[in-house]
Amino acid sequence: MRYCTLLLISFFCMPYISHSSPADEANKKFDGYKARFVTAMWEVYPAWASSVGYHLYDDKLVIPDAAAREKEIRFCTQHADSLSQFDLSQLNDANKTDYHLIRYQLKYTMWGIKVLRTYEWDPSGYNVSGMFAEMLANDYAPINERLKNLNKKLAFVPAYYAAAKENLKNPTNEHTDLAIQQNKGGLGVLGDDLEQALGKCTLPAAEQKEIRERAKYAVAAIEDYIKWLGKLEHKTPRSFRLGKELYAQKFELELQSGYDAASIYQKALLRKAELHDKMYESTRRLWSKYFGEAIPADKLQAIKKMIDKLSENHVSADSFQTAIEQQIPELTEFIKKKNLLYIDPSKPLVVRKEPAYMAGVAGASISSPGPYDKNGNTYYNVGSLEGWGKDKAESYLREYNKYILQILNIHEAIPGHYTQLVYANQSPSIIKAILGNNAMIEGWAVYTELMMLENGYDVDPKVRGVAASAEMWLMYYKWNLRSTCNTILDYSVHAGNMSKEEAMNLLVKEAFQQQAEAEGKWKRVTLTQVQLCCYFTGFTEICNLREEMKVKQGKAFDLKKFHEQFLSYGSAPVKYIKELMMK
Ligand code: ZN
Ligand code: ZN
């Protein structure tokens, strides 16, 4: 349950300073500016506002037409101008990074409208069901109030889809199929889900009737859109591949990395070769412990056989959840013992069974409170395998075997995403909560996997803290190969011409993935761009920053201090954190 407050003010409260320096003045001014920026942004993007818990514009739905794009451009131009009035050198570290995040957001938006123009070729960008589902399922306000807003919003739906049809010029086949599938999938929201909510409300009958009426028109508009997409002629559909130039631009604006796309791709190729070498080394060392026969001459074959063998070491379906739960305090204890990072004991992670609406996803994920819900709990949602077929469960358990399960917990919880979040909340920034850098966030989680193993974390408590076993390392390398190959795949497909067959070879043969996982990855790369690179990019930047700090500080380098300082800047791009740390 989420309680969301509409008050922005608490983020920007500043103590009264009587004799303030020019820098104090500049920061005070910038804090005021940020508040105005966010308030203005929510007016332009009401759906985004609702999704982060700012519910002032819940009754609005932006018709995605030329006028709306004009309004966005005006917003961006105006704020780019306001931003340029500030002297960056006068701002404190937190405001400096916020400044860059806002600047990138404005640039990215303008570029999206003027250059990338997804509104012309991605029909899946038009879908209203998610917002309505959220309003019905999420308890942020009394049901009557939510339904009143939903009623007003429903009135815009026919015009919304009319504008969508007007915008689309030459959509890709892949995004067209996705749009049909997702819009179909969402129809139930304004059917059964809405009926259920109406059953729980106490609105007057006439109002309920109006809602049902409007829902009928909305559903008709969605169905019409689905039919229209199905009948598109599609003689020269746009390719799902972005092309080298657009890809390089998107990479720069989205990841805000210190490296460009082509260099990260080169680094990923080198990392893949390095991982293969290391994996073969571990396999050779382990071979006689697990097999009687001679090791295969083919390197990749030998590694695969060893991975398959080690994957048999997994928990049973009914102890999957408890296995995850038990690891959390073990991880915390290890970090304390090894002095790797301060972990705030007053903010323990709440482990819970995943709520019903997430069911079926299994694995584990972090739910953190939104930027307007400061006192909400952060949960570690742990999926259960209840009701899974025997084969599906077995395959899943082998994938998340005892070794990988540890790495997953490190990544998602401690000292990965959860710990990063606790640190980020210590210097709360509404800007970073909304526009936080994904490469930094994912990069940190991926970095901690390596860091924990370097310090001797192992599944076996007998060797834990001494040195991670060859088994643990081999499985770690396999896991790390995944994000490395995600980057190679994404770049090769969008900036190059990699075929599906070549992609399958990369993922199945060279990255040891299951066929089904690889198929899913191929589908994802045809629908998204750059996103798959954020893990490896952030990871590479953090590892390199650590090496540079070691060189710079020599004997004075302290790993714990490095981690704490790195996290203290919040979810800012690594290149700006680096600038501040190397200062
Ligand atoms: Zn088994
Ligand atoms: Zn992650």
Side-chain angles (χ1 to χ4, degrees), residues 31-222:
D31 286 329
Y33 167 70
K34 287 194 290 188
R36 289 193 302 279
F37 167 77
V38 173
T39 312
M41 189 166 83
W42 294 151
E43 208 243 313
V44 182
Y45 303 102
W48 188 5
S50 304
S51 75
V52 299
Y54 185 88
H55 294 290
L56 195 64
Y57 301 115
D58 274 10
D59 58 344
K60 299 278 187 299
L61 177 67
V62 173
I63 310 300
D65 56 10
R69 290 191 289 277
E70 273 306 308
K71 188 174 170 184
E72 268 188 82
I73 299 246
R74 265 201 313 278
F75 168 79
C76 292
T77 317
Q78 193 191 334
H79 281 276
D81 185 51
S82 310
L83 210 57
S84 69
Q85 314 287 313
F86 288 94
D87 176 359
L88 192 58
S89 68
Q90 296 266 306
L91 300 180
N92 61 34
D93 290 354
N95 276 339
K96 267 193 186 104
T97 44
D98 280 353
Y99 175 101
H100 289 303
L101 286 171
I102 296 174
R103 189 173 57 88
Y104 263 112
Q105 171 64 21
L106 300 173
K107 250 174 99 174
Y108 192 16
T109 306
M110 300 262 250
W111 177 80
I113 295 172
K114 291 179 174 167
V115 182
L116 188 63
R117 303 169 82 92
T118 39
Y119 57 89
E120 289 182 350
W121 54 264
D122 178 5
S124 73
Y126 306 109
N127 190 341
V128 294
S129 50
M131 320 177 209
F132 288 117
E134 180 79 2
M135 292 179 92
L136 294 174
N138 201 337
D139 244 344
Y140 57 86
I143 184 72
N144 281 5
E145 198 183 305
R146 283 182 279 138
L147 282 171
K148 272 175 182 295
N149 284 329
L150 179 131
N151 188 15
K152 288 185 194 151
K153 205 187 193 89
L154 274 173
F156 299 105
V157 174
Y160 173 97
Y161 282 101
K165 282 155 64 176
E166 185 73 25
N167 288 339
L168 288 164
K169 303 276 185 283
N170 57 338
T172 76
N173 285 329
E174 291 75 12
H175 293 94
T176 306
D177 290 346
L178 181 70
I180 292 173
Q181 187 197 336
Q182 289 186 335
N183 273 282
K184 260 188 196 159
L187 280 171
V189 172
L190 294 177
D192 289 352
D193 296 1
L194 178 59
E195 268 315 313
Q196 249 181 40
L198 285 167
K200 280 184 255 165
C201 79
T202 52
L203 291 174
E207 209 169 337
Q208 293 194 35
K209 192 171 159 242
E210 188 181 51
I211 294 176
R212 284 197 181 87
E213 198 89 322
R214 285 185 180 172
K216 219 169 68 193
Y217 284 115
V219 167
I222 301 171

Side-chain angles (χ1 to χ4, degrees), residues 411-412 417 442 445 535:
H411 178 107
E412 295 291 340
H417 288 317
E442 287 304 341
Y535 305 83

Side-chain angles (χ1 to χ4, degrees), residues 311-315 394 397-398:
S311 301
E312 286 169 15
N313 188 9
H314 63 71
V315 300
E394 173 66 17
L397 290 166
R398 285 177 62 94

Side-chain angles (χ1 to χ4, degrees), residues 217-249:
Y217 284 115
V219 167
I222 301 171
E223 282 172 338
D224 169 72
Y225 181 59
I226 295 169
K227 231 167 87 192
W228 181 81
L229 287 174
K231 283 202 296 208
L232 275 182
E233 288 253 331
H234 259 210
K235 282 190 187 119
T236 52
R238 181 192 170 101
S239 165
F240 65 83
R241 298 179 201 273
L242 215 50
K244 206 167 189 160
E245 208 175 315
L246 281 181
Y247 186 85
Q249 293 170 8

Side-chain angles (χ1 to χ4, degrees), residues 235-271:
K235 282 190 187 119
T236 52
R238 181 192 170 101
S239 165
F240 65 83
R241 298 179 201 273
L242 215 50
K244 206 167 189 160
E245 208 175 315
L246 281 181
Y247 186 85
Q249 293 170 8
K250 190 170 193 230
F251 186 96
E252 200 244 315
L253 292 167
E254 192 168 306
L255 300 188
Q256 302 155 24
S257 159
Y259 299 105
D260 61 16
S263 333
I264 281 294
Y265 169 66
Q266 288 303 330
K267 284 181 189 302
L269 287 178
L270 286 175
R271 177 71 177 161

Side-chain angles (χ1 to χ4, degrees), residues 1-2 133-134 137-138 320-321 350-370 377-386 388 392 396 412:
M1 211 158 298
R2 275 160 56 154
E134 180 79 2
N138 201 337
F320 187 71
Q321 262 179 310
V350 185
V351 182
R352 70 171 177 188
K353 194 177 165 197
E354 69 183 359
Y357 68 90
M358 290 182 172
V361 190
S365 65
I366 291 280
S367 294
S368 57
N377 270 327
T378 295
Y379 294 102
Y380 193 32
N381 309 305
V382 178
S384 91
L385 277 67
E386 256 168 47
W388 284 39
K392 191 180 166 198
Y396 188 83
E412 295 291 340

